[in-house]
Amino acid sequence: MSKLYVVGTPIGNLGDFSPRAVETLSECDFIAAEDTRVTVKLLNHFGIKKPMISYHKFNRRDSGEQIVAKILAGETCVLVSDAGMPAISDPGEDLVRLCHENGIKVESVPGPCAFTTALALSGLPTGRFTFEGFLSVNKPSRREHLDSLRNETRTMLFYEAPHKLGATLKDMNKVFGNREIAIVREITKIHEEVIRTTLDEAAELYGEGGIKGEIVLVIRGAEPESANDIMTLEDAVEAAKKSVENGMSVSEAAKQTAKLSGFKKGDIYKQLIGE
């Protein structure tokens, strides 16, 4: 039966590629690859020769339709990214969704994933966490994203590129304060390193760059609010009223205050409009 296989590939060490992954690539009809130049090196290492279709964020619409058509015609496809599990902070999620929408069976061949590995290496709490992917290169969007996480109590994970690291650490320090952070880089590669420090120190030491390689940032969440810090509904409505007085719409004020207080947007909204 034709289907889509989502296959995890090594994030550095080729020894992490599983026998089942090799078998799946060897037996499929074709491969959807983020960058065929990267994937061909993996295939050559394991002596595999298969037709490939380029599938990335710039061509995902047209290429996705082509891939689905081939699968519906009876072929089996393997989806791979350049490294790690496809569809994790990756355009492969669109192809997976498109296959489901067309009744195509999707199966996994699990493999390495950078953010879960970084979490395990970090020494920070792993019971509850949130993966936030890449932050925007646009400074206002980046700050808005970070502001939305100001009171997040779970451990937070972010992917980051070396050339953006300095600005990101400075912004994180401004928004989160002096939290614990693990900067995990070059996972499974020769220069794998876990730098455990604080955001104050990280912003000072690496605010102008200086770290190379693929990076995952793991940050301790905010301390849970004490009972004395918890908002009542009345407190939430008063906070929303101040936002409205400062020019925010009633709907947006209710929405933002609901996020901070935990009360339902509708309850705050009704109080604001006097119902």
Side-chain angles (χ1 to χ4, degrees), residues 55-127:
Y55 179 85
H56 50 72
K57 63 181 180 180
F58 300 111
N59 73 351
R60 55 187 166 186
R61 178 172 296 179
D62 292 339
S63 189
E65 291 176 358
Q66 180 184 357
I67 292 165
V68 166
K70 289 173 70 69
I71 298 174
L72 290 174
E75 297 188 46
T76 295
C77 174
V78 165
L79 170 66
V80 295
S81 65
D82 288 350
M85 278 301 292
I88 303 298
S89 201
D90 172 83
E93 68 175 292
D94 291 338
L95 180 59
V96 172
R97 182 177 62 252
L98 192 60
C99 284
H100 283 305
E101 290 173 352
N102 282 273
I104 294 170
K105 187 174 183 180
V106 180
E107 291 188 7
S108 69
V109 181
C113 181
F115 84 82
T116 53
T117 307
L119 179 62
L121 290 172
S122 71
L124 289 168
T126 63

Side-chain angles (χ1 to χ4, degrees), residues 27-267:
E27 295 181 353
C28 73
D29 294 302
F30 70 102
I31 298 167
E34 181 180 0
D35 186 333
T36 57
R37 297 167 297 181
V38 172
T39 300
V40 75
K41 295 176 183 177
L42 178 70
L43 298 181
N44 288 341
H45 181 83
F46 291 98
I48 300 169
K49 293 186 182 296
K50 289 290 174 180
M52 285 190 284
I53 291 179
S54 174
Y55 179 85
H56 50 72
K57 63 181 180 180
F58 300 111
N59 73 351
R60 55 187 166 186
R61 178 172 296 179
D62 292 339
S63 189
E65 291 176 358
Q66 180 184 357
I67 292 165
V68 166
K70 289 173 70 69
I71 298 174
L72 290 174
E75 297 188 46
T76 295
C77 174
V78 165
L79 170 66
V80 295
S81 65
D82 288 350
M85 278 301 292
I88 303 298
S89 201
D90 172 83
E93 68 175 292
D94 291 338
L95 180 59
V96 172
R97 182 177 62 252
L98 192 60
C99 284
H100 283 305
E101 290 173 352
N102 282 273
I104 294 170
K105 187 174 183 180
V106 180
E107 291 188 7
S108 69
V109 181
C113 181
F115 84 82
T116 53
T117 307
L119 179 62
L121 290 172
S122 71
L124 289 168
T126 63
R128 298 185 67 204
F129 61 89
T130 174
F131 173 58
E132 297 296 320
F134 287 98
L135 291 166
S136 173
V137 295
N138 177 272
K139 186 170 183 177
S141 296
R142 183 169 69 243
R143 286 298 298 269
E144 183 180 356
H145 188 162
L146 293 174
D147 280 335
S148 73
L149 296 168
R150 188 185 297 271
N151 299 311
E152 175 58 67
T153 58
R154 295 170 294 180
T155 300
M156 298 175 287
L157 295 104
F158 302 83
Y159 285 161
E160 194 50 280
H163 68 281
K164 291 165 47 192
L165 179 64
T168 294
L169 289 173
K170 290 177 181 177
D171 281 348
M172 287 178 166
N173 192 209
K174 289 177 183 176
V175 174
F176 299 142
N178 193 27
R179 306 261 191 96
E180 283 184 86
I181 181 173
I183 303 172
V184 187
R185 71 181 195 94
E186 294 294 88
I187 297 173
T188 77
K189 300 175 185 176
I190 294 174
H191 299 293
E192 177 177 289
E193 183 179 23
V194 180
I195 303 170
R196 281 189 50 109
T197 182
T198 64
L199 277 172
D200 277 358
E201 292 181 352
E204 181 178 349
L205 292 173
Y206 310 115
E208 304 306 321
I211 294 181
K212 298 180 180 179
E214 301 295 326
I215 297 166
V216 183
L217 303 176
V218 189
I219 301 171
R220 181 179 286 275
E223 290 297 323
E225 293 180 333
S226 67
N228 292 332
D229 295 329
I230 298 175
M231 276 188 176
T232 64
L233 178 58
E234 290 74 18
D235 293 333
V237 172
E238 284 303 313
K241 284 180 179 178
K242 290 180 181 178
S243 296
V244 173
E245 290 170 1
N246 289 328
M248 188 178 290
S249 71
V250 173
S251 178
E252 185 62 24
K255 178 181 177 182
Q256 293 294 330
T257 309
K259 287 182 180 179
L260 293 173
S261 66
F263 290 103
K264 293 181 179 179
K265 173 187 172 182
D267 292 340

